[in-house]
Structures are given as C-alpha cells and as structure tokens.
Amino acid sequence: MVIQKEKKSCGQVVEEWKEFVWNPRTHQFMGRTGTSWAFILLFYLVFYGFLTAMFTLTMWVMLQTVSDHTPKYQDRLATPGLMIRPKTENLDVIVNVSDTESWDQHVQKLNKFLEPYNDSIQAQKNDVCRPGRYYEQPDNGVLNYPKRACQFNRTQLGDCSGIGDPTHYGYSTGQPCVFIKMNRVINFYAGANQSMNVTCMGKRDEDAENLGSFVMFPANGNIDLMYFPYYGKKFHVNYTQPLVAVKFLNVTPNVEVNVECRINAANIATDDERDKFAGRVAFKLRINKT
C-alpha cells in the first residue's frame, strides 16, 4: 500500500523557510548558532590570512633577487638583431612615386622616429663623446644613475636626414631612404673593441642587378663603439641608438627587390639559420613608376 506524502501548502513552506533562516526557539541562523558561525568565520579568516601572508612573503623574496634596471636572464638576446625603419608589415617598403598617399605614411613615420635625433635635442640631453672607444660608466660601488648617452645627431644622416628635404627622404623621387638600427642588448660590447659597419646587398643575383647603386650614412655604414654598452631603459634614459641610413639611387622600377643588410662585427654572428634576424635583416623594396 503506497502512502502518499502530505502535500504542504505554500504558507507552510514559507514558515519552514523562515524558521530555517532564523529559529527563535534555538537561536540558530541558517542551521547554526552564533558560536558555530564565529568559529567558521575565524577558521577561514586565519586560513586565507595565512595564504595571503605566504604569497606576499614569496613575492618579496623573489623581488629581492630581481634588479630594477637589468633583466635577470638575457640568454635569448645573446646576438642583437637588426630592424628597419620605416616600420612596415612584412618588412615591405613599397613606393608608388606618382601616388603621394603610398609614401606619405612612410614619411610621417620617419619624421616621428627621427625627432629625438634632432641636433638641438641631442646637444641638450647627451654628451659629445670620444669616437673609437666604449663609453663605459661603471658604478664603482655607488649607483651611477642616470647614465649619460653619446650624441647621435640627425645631421650625421646626410641626404637621409630629412632636414629641409623637398624630396621627403627621397620617397617622392623614387630614391627612398631606409634606416637600419640594431636592437638594444644590455651590457653588450658590440664589435669586441673593433670597428664595425653595416653592408647591404641583393639576396640573389637578379636582386643585385635590380638594386642598383646606393649610398650610406654615416659613410660606409659605420657604427661607432662610443654608443656601447647600453645600460637599460631605466639607467640610459636619453639613449638614442646609432643608425645607418641607406639611400637607394636607381632601383629598377616596377620590380620587387629582395635586400639584405648585415652588421659586420667581430662578436656578432650573422649566419644562424635558426634566427633570420640575428645580426641581419631582410626586406623587400619596390619602386612603382608609371
């Protein structure tokens, strides 16, 4: 014989719920007395307080081993890479001489990029250094901060300086300037105390033919030792990287040319096939003319 459970009315359900939330006879709130709730809250307060203290202590100990100025690990940056400006997608520098919009974006990027190199700004913030030697600034037991930087004046870029240049870095005449810069590596003595320079060439024989002639600024693509070592963004607050500007004079029009530039330095390898940017950079150059 099946005994049917008596169905409770809505009022009974509400009364039972009220009694569960607060039982005036036993003075229980949601099934527990005040003492029971106090012990539970105390337990979780101590438990999470301990976890917070443990996490804070761990972070503090770890931060004691980390310098505010120098990365702890730099093994992935043993060899600096090269990059170009203007910065473009896929490293393609495409110029349509008759279409101002096609090259004006490059000009605007270069104007902004070269602004810190203005001679007046460099004279105000940086030092005139002795060429041919590293500009070392050791701490000698006392924090030497901020580090001074050597001047790299925009006028050193010659015809690619963009100063009073009606050709807009040569982009309006089909003789564009491309700037090569070496990525920064903290405490790296580029060149191993020997002179170094940047060279550019076509990647293949047909590229070399279509590339034509070009000039480099500073002369021969030289990079002086005085711009090294680099001490980091927080130490070297006014540091400006040395640049090499390449002005392409007679690139075969309407043809895509593959160009590769390399840094020639005693302690920078440029033949690592696993890293295409180690000491070198490859880009495509195309000058369209109608």
Side-chain angles (χ1 to χ4, degrees):
M1 181 177 180
V2 178
I3 300 176
Q4 292 184 349
K5 189 175 181 180
E6 182 180 355
K7 188 176 182 181
K8 297 180 182 179
S9 66
C10 182
Q12 289 176 318
V13 172
V14 172
E15 287 301 323
E16 288 182 356
W17 173 250
K18 287 182 179 180
E19 188 174 339
F20 169 73
V21 174
W22 172 248
N23 191 326
R25 291 180 291 101
T26 60
H27 296 89
Q28 290 182 333
F29 176 70
M30 300 188 74
R32 291 183 180 275
T33 63
T35 304
S36 178
W37 278 115
F39 279 122
I40 290 176
L41 292 175
L42 179 62
F43 169 79
Y44 281 107
L45 180 64
V46 173
F47 177 69
Y48 286 110
F50 173 77
L51 291 181
T52 302
M54 206 50 188
F55 175 76
T56 303
L57 178 63
T58 303
M59 291 297 295
W60 181 82
V61 171
M62 184 193 70
L63 290 174
Q64 302 313 301
T65 67
V66 178
S67 170
D68 290 337
H69 306 285
T70 306
K72 187 174 181 66
Y73 299 106
Q74 300 186 73
D75 54 306
R76 295 184 61 187
L77 298 174
T79 302
L82 299 185
M83 282 300 294
I84 67 167
R85 293 293 184 271
K87 188 176 182 179
T88 62
E89 292 186 13
N90 303 319
L91 300 180
D92 294 342
V93 180
I94 302 175
V95 179
N96 190 338
V97 177
S98 60
D99 181 9
T100 305
E101 292 186 1
S102 72
W103 49 262
D104 185 63
Q105 57 178 331
H106 299 324
V107 173
Q108 298 303 322
K109 290 178 181 178
L110 291 177
N111 286 338
K112 184 177 181 180
F113 173 68
L114 292 175
E115 186 175 353
Y117 292 89
N118 287 340
D119 291 21
S120 58
I121 296 178
Q122 289 292 309
Q124 178 184 359
K125 295 184 176 181
N126 294 335
D127 294 344
V128 176
C129 300
R130 178 180 172 183
R133 58 183 295 181
Y134 294 119
Y135 191 30
E136 297 180 282
Q137 302 170 74
D139 291 334
N140 293 328
V142 180
L143 186 62
N144 181 12
Y145 169 80
K147 307 288 189 184
R148 299 290 297 173
C150 295
Q151 292 184 19
F152 188 97
N153 293 313
R154 190 167 175 174
T155 49
Q156 293 177 239
L157 299 173
D159 293 343
C160 289
S161 67
I163 301 175
D165 181 9
T167 68
H168 307 284
Y169 306 101
Y171 283 84
S172 64
T173 59
Q175 296 179 321
C177 291
V178 176
F179 297 83
I180 312 296
K181 72 181 188 73
M182 185 163 61
N183 294 335
R184 305 175 184 184
V185 177
I186 296 176
N187 291 327
F188 180 67
Y189 287 77
N193 220 18
Q194 302 177 38
S195 61
M196 55 185 166
N197 72 316
V198 172
T199 55
C200 297
M201 64 187 70
K203 292 197 70 173
R204 297 183 292 268
D205 291 340
E206 58 268 27
D207 292 319
E209 294 177 3
N210 293 322
L211 184 60
S213 58
F214 54 86
V215 290
M216 308 184 81
F217 306 95
N220 300 317
N222 289 330
I223 296 180
D224 202 279
L225 298 179
M226 65 182 176
Y227 300 108
F228 305 93
Y230 170 63
Y231 288 101
K233 188 175 182 178
K234 287 190 175 181
F235 269 136
H236 244 151
V237 291
N238 295 319
Y239 182 79
T240 42
Q241 295 158 274
L243 303 175
V244 171
V246 188
K247 186 176 183 64
F248 299 96
L249 301 177
N250 52 356
V251 177
T252 302
N254 307 316
V255 175
E256 188 175 89
V257 183
N258 295 285
V259 185
E260 184 176 75
C261 296
R262 295 173 178 251
I263 178 76
N264 301 303
N267 59 345
I268 300 179
T270 60
D271 55 357
D272 188 352
E273 293 303 322
R274 296 172 299 176
D275 188 350
K276 299 295 184 181
F277 291 93
R280 54 184 168 167
V281 61
F283 59 96
K284 294 180 181 179
L285 180 64
R286 183 183 178 98
I287 312 297
N288 292 328
K289 293 182 179 180
T290 56

